[in-house]
Amino acid sequence: MSRREAILAEMGLAPVWRLRKRPAGETKADSGWIPLKAAVSGCTACALHKSRTQTVFGVGDEDADWMLIGEAPGAEEDRLGDPFVGQAGRLLDNMLAAIGLERGRNVYIANVLKCRPPGNRNPEPEEVARCTPHLLRQIELVRPKLIVAMGRFAAQTLLDTDASIASLRGRLHRYAGVPLIVTYHPAYLLRTLPDKAKAWADLVFAKKTMAGL
Ligand code: SF4
């Protein structure tokens, strides 16, 4: 093991280093995106397929260092097929711009669920269990350096906890071997303006963490 690998291992980051290595000879085209997109668009693994207009796969740079994960598509996302559109999406874009990031440039955005729960209700555990393999495969393919979980549902699902956002913020967690930081969902911030300052602090923390990875 090299000194760099030893340091990464000591920091608990060695799995990420391995995850980010694309197998020799593998190109983007045959890296698994095409079959995964086909699997998601035709997925009938849970009852949400019956009420969706279309699946909402994810969007952005497929080789991104940053991966942002939200909850599930809403009405607009279900209609358009992209995550984080509308007012919450605009807020997210502004938040990204504030730390020098841009949707689609070194950033990939996805949700835990790929189909809209009717009436924007909370996802059911069974739906999450059925959809999680799609998300895990996305993470494997993107090979992000850092995941930002946006909102209580994404954070609790990815970290397998019922702890509050307040108690999960400000610390470095890990999901599937990848460092993970928790922050508020942009839709929540639209309703709760005072927490925007906390979300800003989370993004600054994320940016500093990324700089050290
Ligand atoms: Fe499949 Fe996920 Fe859609 Fe359920 S929510 S049908 S598991 S893609």
Side-chain angles (χ1 to χ4, degrees):
M1 184 185 285
S2 71
R3 177 163 163 71
R4 178 187 169 83
E5 285 170 342
I7 292 169
L8 287 168
E10 199 176 309
M11 293 169 69
L13 298 175
V16 183
W17 183 246
R18 288 200 297 273
L19 191 64
R20 290 182 61 77
K21 276 189 174 175
R22 196 183 291 284
E26 183 186 89
T27 65
K28 198 161 179 175
D30 59 19
S31 66
W33 282 106
I34 293 169
L36 179 61
K37 287 175 183 175
V40 169
S41 68
C43 182
T44 56
C46 82
L48 293 181
H49 79 275
K50 295 179 192 162
S51 53
R52 73 185 177 212
T53 304
Q54 60 191 312
T55 54
V56 178
F57 182 77
V59 69
D61 179 353
E62 293 174 351
D63 285 320
D65 287 337
W66 294 80
M67 186 160 179
L68 277 55
I69 301 179
E71 177 176 327
E76 278 294 277
E77 286 86 358
D78 175 70
R79 188 172 70 80
L80 297 171
D82 274 337
F84 288 93
V85 293
Q87 241 189 320
R90 281 192 292 280
L91 175 57
L92 177 61
D93 289 342
N94 290 337
M95 290 163 64
L96 289 174
I99 55 166
L101 294 175
E102 189 182 327
R103 182 190 294 235
R105 292 184 62 182
N106 205 20
V107 177
Y108 190 87
I109 304 174
N111 282 312
V112 173
L113 287 191
K114 311 305 183 201
C115 301
R116 181 192 180 210
N120 292 348
R121 65 159 167 75
N122 284 338
E124 300 284 350
E126 172 72 8
E127 294 158 358
V128 173
R130 299 279 177 171
C131 213
T132 298
H134 296 317
L135 178 63
L136 270 171
R137 185 71 182 125
Q138 274 177 311
I139 293 171
E140 274 179 15
L141 291 172
V142 174
R143 301 174 170 92
K145 279 187 180 174
L146 181 69
I147 292 172
V148 179
M150 296 182 294
R152 180 176 63 87
F153 181 82
Q156 291 181 342
T157 299
L158 295 175
L159 297 175
D160 192 22
T161 177
D162 55 5
S164 68
I165 287 256
S167 68
L168 296 171
R169 289 180 52 245
R171 289 189 282 134
L172 195 56
H173 304 272
R174 195 166 293 277
Y175 178 69
V178 182
L180 180 149
I181 284 172
V182 170
T183 191
Y184 295 101
H185 193 285
Y188 166 83
L189 294 173
L190 288 171
R191 302 189 303 268
T192 321
L193 294 179
D195 280 344
K196 268 190 179 177
K198 294 179 188 167
W200 169 244
D202 296 335
L203 290 180
V204 171
F205 174 48
K207 180 98 178 168
K208 276 188 187 159
T209 302
M210 177 65 88
L213 293 177

